[in-house]
Amino acid sequence: MTRARRSRAGRRPGGASTRDDVLVAARAEFEERGYEGATVRAIAARANVDPAMIHHFFGNKENLFLVAMQINLDPAVITDAIRSSPRDEIGERAVRTFLAVWGDPKVRGPLLALLRSAMTHGAAAALLRQFVTRVLLSRIVVVFGDAPDAALRAEAMVSQLIGMAVLRFVVQVEPLASASEEEIVALIGPVIQQYVPPS
Amino acid sequence: MTRARRSRAGRRPGGASTRDDVLVAARAEFEERGYEGATVRAIAARANVDPAMIHHFFGNKENLFLVAMQINLDPAVITDAIRSSPRDEIGERAVRTFLAVWGDPKVRGPLLALLRSAMTHGAAAALLRQFVTRVLLSRIVVVFGDAPDAALRAEAMVSQLIGMAVLRFVVQVEPLASASEEEIVALIGPVIQQYVPPS
């Protein structure tokens, strides 16, 4: 089936509805095969377009995933902030960047939707799991270096940020829900700094 | 309506089905009025029993809430562990106790159900919010003393534990999902210890 669809004759030129077709195909592939199993090639085949067009419109698989999930966020924003930070300010920088991302209503809604789905649906949890692992953790681990527990440390840091988001934005427990960003950065930043391995 | 139901003539003696009626009434009251708004008196009226019988069967409102939510957990287990801990070991003790609670499958399932509902339903979120605030945070704050940010510190500590549970038990992201309890206690315990205010 996909082989037949992939034939050159069936491919259509780019355009608004083609872009939408790609997004529909991407959502279906990500859901069926998970973040890792989905390929740009298979998504292109399913949407009946040339893979090069997907690269042209969406860059890479990461960005396609975020657009398909309607999450208006470049993961490089977070990881660049951490990578460009002085080593002893990574904790503070991570909290500040994370709060800035969640503070953008265009990002927060879809992120909440993904987090909520992941709490209740196995397929969404698998997607989120793979995405967190491949996109966020793998980049933080590079900064954390070759400590044997670098991955666990990176994930512990991410888990503090997620727990904070759950209580502040989702369940809205006081005083965290109303605390200023500066209070939260000042309190949590130095604490999660302890997860950064000694260099 | 409730006044009429509350009349002595309508009250029935205790028994298995009466206990179930109390639980049904409790769930309805908690959902309609929230943890804080629900009273043992109103639940008794709704179930057409004497309030004293509820106290006899379930102790206090906290325990009635946990039984009604089918969460087989005495919150005193967590707060006593923290209160009885040497001040410089509170972080470690909190992680260890929290993992022990989640490690019990009889507790984990209902806790997951409550957390999941809270992520998607406003009424469940309100319940969880009030319960976390009134039952968990208020007791940790007592231990944390009268620092002006004691409540925020207590909640930051709880948020790290919740974020860890989300990634380890719900989304199951590695390496946190497979790490041993000892690894997690050793890594996260000393870090959240930093949330304990200086005495």
Side-chain angles (χ1 to χ4, degrees):
Chain A
M1 285 292 277
T2 50
R3 282 224 162 266
R5 286 222 212 100
R6 216 183 275 160
S7 71
R8 201 155 263 291
R11 283 186 184 144
R12 295 160 311 158
S17 83
T18 308
R19 189 176 179 282
D20 289 344
D21 289 348
V22 169
L23 292 176
V24 169
R27 280 182 209 113
E29 282 287 313
F30 283 127
E31 198 164 313
E32 281 174 26
R33 305 189 196 286
Y35 178 76
E36 202 137 348
T39 63
V40 169
R41 179 180 289 272
I43 292 165
R46 193 188 267 257
N48 201 19
V49 301
D50 194 287
M53 207 186 71
I54 293 188
H55 286 295
H56 171 71
F57 271 123
F58 299 101
N60 53 21
K61 185 168 82 169
E62 272 174 26
N63 283 318
L64 175 57
F65 173 79
L66 290 167
V67 177
M69 296 290 128
Q70 304 186 293
I71 295 173
N72 195 5
L73 164 71
D74 181 355
V77 168
I78 295 176
T79 49
D80 285 357
I82 290 174
R83 267 195 293 211
S84 69
S85 168
R87 195 169 184 85
D88 60 355
E89 292 172 17
I90 288 178
E92 193 184 311
R93 190 77 69 96
V95 181
R96 196 181 295 284
T97 310
F98 189 79
L99 283 171
V101 164
W102 277 83
D104 179 347
K106 289 197 304 297
V107 178
R108 191 195 299 184
L111 265 185
L112 272 176
L114 179 61
L115 189 55
R116 284 176 169 143
S117 315
M119 298 290 285
T120 46
H121 300 295
L127 269 181
L128 183 62
R129 177 166 63 242
Q130 293 169 19
F131 186 74
V132 166
T133 308
R134 296 288 150 179
V135 177
L136 287 181
L137 290 181
S138 64
R139 285 176 173 160
I140 300 176
V141 166
V142 170
V143 180
F144 276 18
D146 52 7
D149 59 351
L152 192 60
R153 285 169 171 273
E155 193 176 345
M157 181 182 273
V158 169
S159 76
Q160 167 65 90
L161 297 174
I162 289 176
M164 183 264 286
V166 167
L167 288 190
R168 178 175 170 86
F169 298 117
V170 185
V171 189
Q172 297 177 8
V173 179
E174 296 296 355
L176 196 50
S178 303
S180 73
E181 296 202 353
E182 284 312 310
E183 281 177 283
I184 296 175
V185 169
L187 177 62
I188 298 182
V191 171
I192 64 174
Q193 177 69 31
Q194 308 301 313
Y195 288 131
V196 181
S199 59
Chain B
M1 282 292 277
T2 49
R3 283 227 162 265
R5 284 224 212 99
R6 216 183 272 162
S7 72
R8 202 154 262 290
R11 285 186 183 142
R12 293 160 312 158
S17 83
T18 308
R19 190 176 179 281
D20 289 344
D21 289 348
V22 169
L23 291 176
V24 169
R27 281 182 207 112
E29 281 287 313
F30 283 128
E31 199 164 313
E32 281 173 26
R33 305 189 194 286
Y35 178 77
E36 202 137 348
T39 63
V40 169
R41 178 180 290 271
I43 292 166
R46 193 188 268 257
N48 201 19
V49 301
D50 194 288
M53 207 186 70
I54 294 188
H55 286 295
H56 172 71
F57 271 124
F58 298 102
N60 53 22
K61 185 168 82 168
E62 273 175 26
N63 283 318
L64 175 57
F65 174 78
L66 289 167
V67 177
M69 298 290 128
Q70 303 186 294
I71 295 173
N72 196 4
L73 163 72
D74 181 354
V77 168
I78 295 177
T79 48
D80 285 358
I82 290 174
R83 266 195 293 210
S84 69
S85 168
R87 195 168 183 87
D88 60 356
E89 292 172 18
I90 287 178
E92 193 183 311
R93 190 76 70 94
V95 180
R96 196 181 296 284
T97 309
F98 189 79
L99 283 170
V101 164
W102 277 83
D104 179 347
K106 289 197 304 297
V107 178
R108 191 194 299 184
L111 266 186
L112 272 177
L114 179 60
L115 189 55
R116 283 176 169 142
S117 316
M119 297 289 284
T120 46
H121 300 295
L127 269 181
L128 183 61
R129 176 167 63 243
Q130 292 169 19
F131 187 74
V132 166
T133 308
R134 295 290 149 179
V135 178
L136 287 181
L137 290 181
S138 65
R139 284 176 174 160
I140 299 175
V141 166
V142 170
V143 180
F144 276 18
D146 53 7
D149 59 352
L152 192 60
R153 285 170 169 272
E155 193 176 345
M157 180 181 274
V158 168
S159 77
Q160 168 65 89
L161 298 174
I162 288 176
M164 183 264 285
V166 166
L167 288 189
R168 178 175 171 86
F169 298 117
V170 186
V171 190
Q172 297 177 8
V173 179
E174 296 295 354
L176 196 50
S178 303
S180 73
E181 296 202 351
E182 284 313 311
E183 281 176 282
I184 295 175
V185 170
L187 177 61
I188 297 182
V191 171
I192 63 173
Q193 177 68 33
Q194 307 303 312
Y195 288 130
V196 181
S199 59

